[in-house]
Amino acid sequence: MPLGEFDVIARYFSRSCGRSDVLLGVGDDAALLRPPTGQALVAATDTLVEGRHFLPGTPAAAIGHQALAVNLSDLAAMGAEPAWALLSLSMPRVDEHWLAEFASGLYALADTHGVALVGGDTVAGPLVITIEVLGFVPPDLALRRTGARPGDLVFVSGSPGVAAAGLEQLRSGQASFESPDPRVRRFLRAEPRLALGQALRGVATAAMDVSDGLLGDLGKLLVASGVGARIDLERLPVAAELSAHALPERERYLLHGGDDYELLFTLPPAALSRVPELVQAGGCELHCIGAIVAGDQLECRRGGQVVEIKGGGYDHFAR
Ligand code: ADP
Ligand code: MG
């Protein structure tokens, strides 16, 4: 007898969480949660659809990781500390092996960041995973997209583009999901930059996470802030994992790749002296790639020359 809906919830998604601010978790009609006084509640949700956000055949543990990571990355970009998550799971049938793997990937990342799964929904349908995350930030310290000003410097964390290279390895069949290739590992298990996001509170003038590609996402930040930017392509950090790729391909991964969960942010010149401390707190490299300018243009330069870059970010409804 395959498990029913309630057995699935009880067996895979009812682990106790150990957070004292969860007054009531999975099992009732809704969760009861106690937000800390004086903090704003930060909420974000993201959906993964098989064939669109992950390749058919992706190991379930990686899907569990990604479904939570993409959401935690949004909290990181707000400077928030994550606390709670809800999971809506639509799946064609009850596959216990799949569920055990999925739950292990999800809970492993949740445990790393002290996140409690407090509720959700379980339905039969195409494989679609929606997670909602909730976290906290002091309201006046939340990182928004709107605060970049001319003269601010544009930074990106870590090594953007590596996950996109990993995705391409998988898509082209050059690597399998089990491959030890660091590009593939990064794509399947990218880590949201939560520590960096919190360290940027009160320091960065604007921030967002790179989910649809560095250039397209920077464009969104610029529109939100009402400014332009000048980016020096030679200052983009080229990770060792990308060094084997020829320049055009490498630049495509760097500028248009998502899935690394890196943070893009702006610092006023006065905050430059704090970069070493941010590197330390964030546990990752930080690279200045350009500067904010007045106007509304995003200008990219290579070797001092302005270059035209085609293609922005990813738009689900674009034709
Ligand atoms: P309702 O019918 O009131 O919507 P459900 O039967 O869908 O309640 O869910 C029962 C309980 O299990 C609720 O507390 C709900 O939040 C939780 N739940 C359901 N599915 C999941 C899931 N995939 N992960 C975590 N909690 C879940
Ligand atoms: Mg329900």
Side-chain angles (χ1 to χ4, degrees):
M1 265 280 282
L3 295 186
E5 174 189 336
F6 303 104
D7 306 310
V8 167
I9 298 166
R11 191 166 297 182
Y12 297 103
F13 302 112
S14 296
R15 259 177 43 181
S16 69
C17 65
R19 283 190 70 103
S20 59
D21 53 10
V22 178
L23 309 181
L24 191 58
V26 170
D28 213 303
D29 291 309
L32 280 180
L33 309 167
R34 185 170 42 213
T37 43
Q39 303 240 28
L41 199 56
V42 187
T45 185
D46 255 312
T47 296
L48 301 191
V49 178
E50 182 174 37
R52 180 143 285 251
H53 300 96
F54 57 92
L55 303 169
T58 301
I63 300 172
H65 174 96
Q66 282 176 349
L68 183 58
V70 67
N71 277 286
L72 292 180
S73 180
D74 283 325
L75 291 200
M78 298 302 292
E81 168 196 345
W84 309 311
L86 294 115
L87 162 69
S88 290
L89 180 58
S90 162
M91 55 189 175
R93 71 196 72 79
V94 172
D95 174 340
E96 288 213 61
H97 175 70
W98 190 92
L99 277 164
E101 290 292 306
F102 174 82
S104 80
L106 179 77
Y107 277 114
L109 183 62
D111 290 347
T112 301
H113 297 288
V115 174
L117 182 65
V118 297
D121 202 19
T122 305
V123 300
L127 186 55
V128 177
I129 299 114
T130 300
I131 290 186
E132 178 181 11
V133 286
L134 297 155
F136 321 125
V137 70
D140 41 338
L141 294 183
L143 304 174
R144 304 186 184 195
R145 297 180 179 185
T146 47
R149 293 293 169 261
D152 286 355
L153 297 159
V154 180
F155 278 79
V156 67
S157 66
S159 45
V162 177
L167 171 59
E168 189 119 323
Q169 291 295 303
L170 292 169
R171 220 185 237 148
S172 64
Q174 285 170 273
S176 73
F177 289 110
E178 288 69 37
S179 166
D181 184 319
R183 295 165 296 181
V184 173
R185 295 338 301 161
R186 164 67 86 81
F187 171 69
L188 294 174
R189 293 295 161 91
E191 288 292 332
R193 300 285 188 199
L194 284 155
L196 175 62
Q198 288 166 56
L200 290 172
R201 288 176 180 178
V203 184
T205 46
M208 67 184 298
D209 67 324
V210 179
S211 50
D212 299 329
L214 187 56
L215 217 53
D217 283 337
L218 176 59
K220 293 177 201 165
L221 188 148
L222 298 180
V223 169
S225 291
V227 293
R230 201 171 286 159
I231 297 303
D232 187 350
L233 296 176
E234 286 150 336
R235 292 168 82 172
L236 289 168
V238 180
E241 294 90 330
L242 293 182
S243 57
H245 296 275
L247 179 72
E249 199 180 29
R250 196 162 77 203
E251 217 165 76
R252 184 161 55 79
Y253 295 144
L254 276 163
L255 294 175
H256 305 299
D259 302 305
D260 290 293
Y261 311 129
E262 296 297 359
L263 295 185
L264 183 62
F265 57 94
T266 54
L267 292 183
L272 272 185
S273 60
R274 300 187 61 178
V275 168
E277 147 201 350
L278 294 171
V279 167
Q280 180 79 27
C284 59
E285 291 177 15
L286 300 177
H287 297 274
C288 179
I289 59 170
I292 298 294
V293 296
D296 59 2
Q297 298 296 303
L298 170 52
E299 191 180 274
C300 294
R301 294 176 182 236
R302 189 188 301 114
Q305 302 291 311
V306 176
V307 291
E308 195 66 41
I309 305 279
K310 293 215 167 47
Y314 186 76
D315 180 341
H316 277 274
F317 296 104
R319 293 206 256 171

